[in-house]
Amino acid sequence: IQVGGRVNRHGEYNAHGGGEVYDFALSGAWITQHPAAAVSAEVLRDLMDRGELNKTSPADIVTEAMKQELRYSGSLPSDLIQAEKEKNYPKVEELGRVIDTDTRFVIIDPRLEEALRNHEKVDFNSLLRGSVQMWSNKINSLGLKQITRYGRASDMYSWEYEYDPDFLGYMAGVLRHETFLSEGGAII
């Protein structure tokens, strides 16, 4: 559903017939399913099986998906409801996170990394274009190095492997790394 919203979010391609989304599922030894997306995936699969994505407005699909997910879990957590009543919005943000992830900021653009190391001012868009979010356990298994700023380790990591900006993204380097390890290689 989230991907579909990015295809023609503001109707800018309506004159061209909109956009097409191809959604597919992968499985196998090298495919890791997102642990926090199991319920969402099941709800999406149900909506797709019933053909709802092709006959219902995107806003109504999102509403229906959220209702189904809440039915799955029973209801909203009571501490989230309480934080909302108290207008404790930082707590609402924390408790209402759709997918709680243990990810880190990984810099994939060497020029951006250099600018950060040199304490240069970097605009928000450059930061977004030159970085990815990555699971912390993947960072550990790849042995990525923390970027040091002001003499201390930061919450950012340096990407040292292959990167494919057109399709695979950082997975190009991950796949090569996994092949290396599966063929008996080791990182010391």
Side-chain angles (χ1 to χ4, degrees):
I1 291 172
Q2 190 176 35
V3 171
R6 286 170 167 69
V7 173
N8 194 20
R9 182 179 300 255
H10 301 291
E12 64 264 39
Y13 302 114
N14 286 354
H16 306 287
E20 290 186 32
V21 174
Y22 296 92
D23 193 2
F24 52 91
L26 300 173
S27 62
W30 287 24
I31 304 300
T32 304
Q33 300 301 320
H34 192 304
V39 171
S40 299
E42 190 59 40
V43 167
L44 177 60
R45 191 173 297 111
D46 174 61
L47 291 168
M48 291 173 74
D49 288 347
R50 293 187 291 138
E52 294 295 325
L53 299 181
N54 295 322
K55 63 184 180 188
T56 307
S57 76
D60 291 340
I61 286 289
V62 170
T63 302
E64 177 60 24
M66 291 175 81
K67 284 180 185 176
Q68 285 188 32
E69 288 192 38
L70 285 173
R71 264 188 244 122
Y72 235 101
S73 63
S75 66
L76 290 173
S78 60
D79 49 352
L80 174 60
I81 293 169
Q82 186 62 36
E84 178 75 28
K85 283 181 185 173
E86 295 171 356
K87 295 182 173 45
N88 183 348
Y89 298 117
K91 192 70 171 174
V92 169
E93 178 186 16
E94 175 190 328
L95 297 172
R97 200 173 284 255
V98 175
I99 298 176
D100 192 15
T101 59
D102 184 17
T103 60
R104 303 291 185 273
F105 204 66
V106 179
I107 307 300
I108 56 164
D109 181 346
R111 293 181 310 256
L112 175 61
E113 182 181 336
E114 186 65 26
L116 291 168
R117 286 184 189 275
N118 291 331
H119 315 294
E120 296 173 21
K121 185 176 180 178
V122 175
D123 67 271
F124 179 71
N125 287 323
S126 297
L127 209 51
L128 286 178
R129 282 191 305 270
S131 67
V132 295
Q133 290 289 309
M134 190 176 290
W135 291 98
S136 62
N137 64 345
K138 186 62 73 180
I139 288 170
N140 294 337
S141 71
L142 291 167
L144 299 185
K145 295 180 180 72
Q146 282 185 294
I147 294 175
T148 303
R149 299 188 73 216
Y150 303 106
R152 308 187 322 245
S154 69
D155 289 336
M156 296 179 286
Y157 292 80
S158 175
W159 184 247
E160 302 166 3
Y161 299 98
E162 185 178 346
Y163 184 80
D164 175 9
D166 297 319
F167 181 60
L168 290 174
Y170 71 77
M171 286 305 296
V174 170
L175 292 172
R176 188 175 305 273
H177 177 264
E178 295 292 336
T179 300
F180 170 75
L181 293 177
S182 70
E183 292 175 354
I187 297 177
I188 298 174

